[in-house]
Amino acid sequence: MTRNISIKRVINILMNKDADETEDNKGRKVRKNEKREPMKPRTKNTELKELQDSELLYVPLSQHIGSPAIPVVEIGDYVKKYEKIGESSGVISANIHSPVSGDIADIVEHSLPNGNKVKTVIIANDFQNKQEKLVKRELNDLKLIKKEEIFSIIKEAGIVGLGGAQFPTHVKYDIKFRKVDTLIINGAECEPYLTSDYSVMKNHTKEIINGLKVIQKLLNPKEVVIGIEEENRELVEVVEEMGRKEKFQIKVKLLPTIYPQGSELQLINTVTGIKVRKGELPLEKGVVVSNVSTVKAIYDAFFEGKPLIERVVTISGEEARNIGNYRIKFGTPLYHIVKQLKITNEEKVIFGGPMMGIEVFDSRVPVIKGTSGILFLSTEEIERNNCISCGYCVEACPMNLMPFEFADYYEKGKYEKMVKANIQNCIECGACEFVCPSRVPLMESIKTGKAVLSEMGENR
């Protein structure tokens, strides 16, 4: 018996739209998804809220791809809100700023959500909210300001990609003499549960449009397109109307609600028809992609003079209480969020989405620049079986890979063959493992395999 499982089916199951039993190639029923109330619409329809500040904030000096920031404060120093506490180092790095005013209680090695330990500044909040003086600007300032000054503003603000990549934005926008045909704004939040970008688009439409004016000055793209998923089509009129009001030309592209539509390569292909291979830079094809929350951060930096110290985070999951979208400061520990929202079940906590997010086990792990969501999920016992060669993972893979090969090569220690099977093209979306009826640990094979290969390369 053969059965096709599409990416659309994957997302439907994850979003609780489709609840039946899956069969393997022998017709055996191997998994059942019970009917549950969809979580995404519930957080979409909530008002954006503010989370009360924590007494202690654990602010990592590495919240970005590249070199960690260098601390510019010492234990015992007093810092104001927005004050720089970490200076970028190297070509690819980002500044870090204090989210509150207070004393530097300690500088220690502390865990990030991914488990890595990095130098972290612990700030004892004095709740006085004393601020560094901010330099505010008007739209008219865009006419006179030089590009170099805008780069400096973005760099000083510590802005990185807030869609998950956390790549320093001032580096990404340094296009030299290359031309940009299409600037794509990523509003496709394809992971289940997460609606933080939706909340930003809904509540800060004007700021996004004016933030795009700043980016337009830098990149001078031929066209600006914002991608919005079909299920969020109510935002189309909102964005188009604000574009007309603010006299900014922007196209809205409705995207199919499929997973992983928000991935950069899939998004570029859907919007432009251009295929960018894994490892190629979109800029080589005349395309630059930025997340909507990144654009909002650029608005804050240019017009309000605010560095990046907080973001909108979706709190959701079957075990969560008071779910919704919250503005949360970087460095806020998980235990504070649990206490404030009166969450009683912390057995399975995911930072990010259920597909590409990371399970955390330390309640002191902080919210960082790349934290788009925190999910409190019910646990389930997973029985792992051998691959039955059903091919579901192959069909589910958006990069046209054969994930079952990675598991086989990993188990046998044939890491070089993983390279020949193009493991470097895997975007780690998790679709393969989700559809696998045997629950083969495909993502463990892929992630660990990549790490081993990286280490082998470094030791050569």
Side-chain angles (χ1 to χ4, degrees):
M1 175 180 178
T2 60
R3 182 177 179 183
N4 292 328
I5 296 184
S6 65
I7 295 294
K8 188 171 183 178
R9 172 158 172 73
V10 173
I11 197 67
N12 281 346
I13 292 173
L14 280 166
M15 295 183 68
N16 305 305
K17 293 178 180 177
D18 195 1
D20 61 70
E21 293 176 322
T22 301
E23 298 176 350
D24 64 17
N25 61 353
K26 295 182 180 179
R28 297 174 298 191
K29 295 176 180 178
V30 294
R31 184 190 299 182
K32 182 177 180 180
N33 291 278
E34 297 178 357
K35 284 279 188 183
R36 294 178 294 182
E37 182 181 0
M39 301 298 288
K40 201 153 186 162
R42 289 178 62 193
T43 54
K44 268 178 60 174
N45 296 324
T46 59
E47 292 184 6
L48 180 57
K49 307 168 189 174
E50 302 281 344
L51 189 78
Q52 183 178 327
D53 291 344
S54 176
E55 292 184 358
L56 286 179
L57 290 102
Y58 300 76
V59 186
L61 294 177
S62 181
Q63 301 181 46
H64 49 268
I65 289 176
S67 304
I70 299 171
V72 293
V73 292
E74 297 179 351
I75 297 172
D77 286 351
Y78 181 83
V79 292
K80 294 180 180 179
K81 183 179 180 180
Y82 303 124
E83 184 177 335
K84 188 190 298 183
I85 59 175
E87 182 81 44
S88 63
S89 64
V91 177
I92 301 177
S93 187
N95 292 333
I96 304 294
H97 300 81
S98 177
V100 297
S101 61
D103 297 315
I104 304 299
D106 209 346
I107 301 176
V108 298
E109 295 291 316
H110 189 69
S111 295
L112 291 171
N114 64 9
N116 293 337
K117 289 194 173 184
V118 299
K119 190 164 290 186
T120 299
V121 177
I122 302 179
I123 304 172
N125 189 356
D126 67 359
F127 295 95
Q128 297 299 307
N129 204 33
K130 295 179 181 179
Q131 300 183 10
E132 284 275 277
K133 186 177 180 180
L134 303 178
V135 178
K136 297 187 178 184
R137 300 172 184 84
E138 303 292 337
L139 274 172
N140 288 335
D141 294 328
L142 263 180
K143 298 176 182 179
L144 302 175
I145 197 167
K146 296 180 180 179
K147 289 184 179 182
E148 291 75 14
E149 293 179 72
I150 299 177
F151 275 117
S152 179
I153 291 167
I154 293 174
K155 180 179 180 180
E156 282 302 308
I159 298 173
V160 302
L162 297 181
Q166 300 173 82
F167 191 85
T169 304
H170 69 279
V171 179
K172 185 174 190 175
Y173 286 177
D174 189 8
I175 62 173
K176 306 299 183 187
F177 299 104
R178 293 179 176 175
K179 294 182 179 180
V180 177
D181 296 317
T182 308
L183 170 63
I184 301 176
I185 306 307
N186 191 350
E189 206 164 18
C190 58
E191 282 242 36
Y193 298 92
L194 304 185
T195 58
S196 57
D197 284 341
Y198 177 91
S199 181
V200 171
M201 288 187 284
K202 178 182 176 181
N203 292 285
H204 298 291
T205 316
K206 183 176 180 179
E207 289 90 338
I208 290 172
I209 294 297
N210 284 315
L212 286 172
K213 293 179 181 179
V214 179
I215 302 173
Q216 186 182 52
K217 173 92 174 189
L218 278 179
L219 305 182
N220 192 29
K222 291 181 180 178
E223 65 173 358
V224 180
V225 183
I226 183 169
I228 297 175
E229 287 187 298
E230 180 76 37
E231 66 177 7
N232 297 330
R233 63 182 308 122
E234 66 271 16
L235 291 175
V236 173
E237 185 176 347
V238 176
V239 173
E240 290 179 338
E241 175 61 29
M242 187 59 69
R244 288 190 292 269
K245 185 177 179 181
E246 295 297 317
K247 298 178 181 179
F248 183 83
Q249 189 171 359
I250 183 171
K251 295 181 181 179
V252 179
K253 174 72 173 179
L254 270 180
L255 309 171
T257 303
I258 57 176
Y259 181 80
Q261 183 61 76
S263 171
E264 186 175 66
L265 303 187
Q266 278 69 38
L267 181 64
I268 292 172
N269 183 245
T270 302
V271 172
T272 67
I274 296 173
K275 291 186 178 180
V276 181
R277 295 181 180 179
K278 183 76 172 177
E280 285 184 326
L281 293 176
L283 184 57
E284 296 173 11
K285 306 287 187 177
V287 180
V288 172
V289 180
S290 277
N291 178 266
V292 291
S293 295
T294 307
V295 178
K296 168 60 166 58
I298 290 172
Y299 169 88
D300 289 340
F302 186 87
F303 293 102
E304 302 294 333
K306 294 179 180 179
L308 184 59
I309 63 163
E310 61 185 11
R311 67 165 298 155
V312 176
V313 179
T314 299
I315 306 295
S316 189
E318 290 79 17
E319 300 298 331
R321 294 185 180 181
N322 301 304
I323 68 172
N325 290 297
Y326 292 82
R327 208 184 309 274
I328 303 179
K329 291 181 172 61
F330 304 137
T332 301
L334 174 61
Y335 68 76
H336 176 76
I337 296 169
V338 168
K339 181 180 178 181
Q340 288 296 309
L341 301 184
K342 298 179 172 57
I343 297 170
T344 56
N345 190 340
E346 304 170 57
E347 290 186 17
K348 185 166 185 174
V349 182
I350 303 290
F351 269 47
M355 299 296 280
M356 300 183 73
I358 300 170
E359 186 171 2
V360 300
F361 303 94
D362 185 346
S363 65
R364 297 175 302 164
V365 166
V367 169
I368 61 173
K369 294 178 182 181
T371 307
S372 56
I374 302 177
L375 307 180
F376 298 85
L377 304 177
S378 55
T379 57
E380 64 171 321
E381 293 295 326
I382 298 178
E383 181 181 352
R384 301 289 188 180
N385 297 302
N386 293 326
C387 175
I388 58 175
S389 302
C390 64
Y392 290 174
C393 63
V394 178
E395 186 176 351
C397 179
M399 301 302 292
N400 300 314
L401 302 175
M402 291 191 249
F404 67 87
E405 290 187 338
F406 301 139
D408 182 53
Y409 295 148
Y410 171 72
E411 186 177 347
K412 295 176 181 177
K414 298 180 178 180
Y415 300 109
E416 297 289 353
K417 286 195 172 184
M418 298 179 92
V419 176
K420 294 181 179 180
N422 296 314
I423 192 172
Q424 69 276 7
N425 289 342
C426 172
I427 61 174
E428 300 180 20
C429 68
C432 58
E433 184 166 322
F434 182 82
V435 299
C436 177
S438 295
R439 311 306 293 272
V440 175
L442 294 165
M443 292 311 299
E444 178 186 334
S445 304
I446 291 167
K447 290 182 177 181
T448 308
K450 282 184 176 181
V452 171
L453 286 167
S454 177
E455 188 174 335
M456 289 169 60
E458 291 176 359
N459 291 335
R460 286 175 180 170

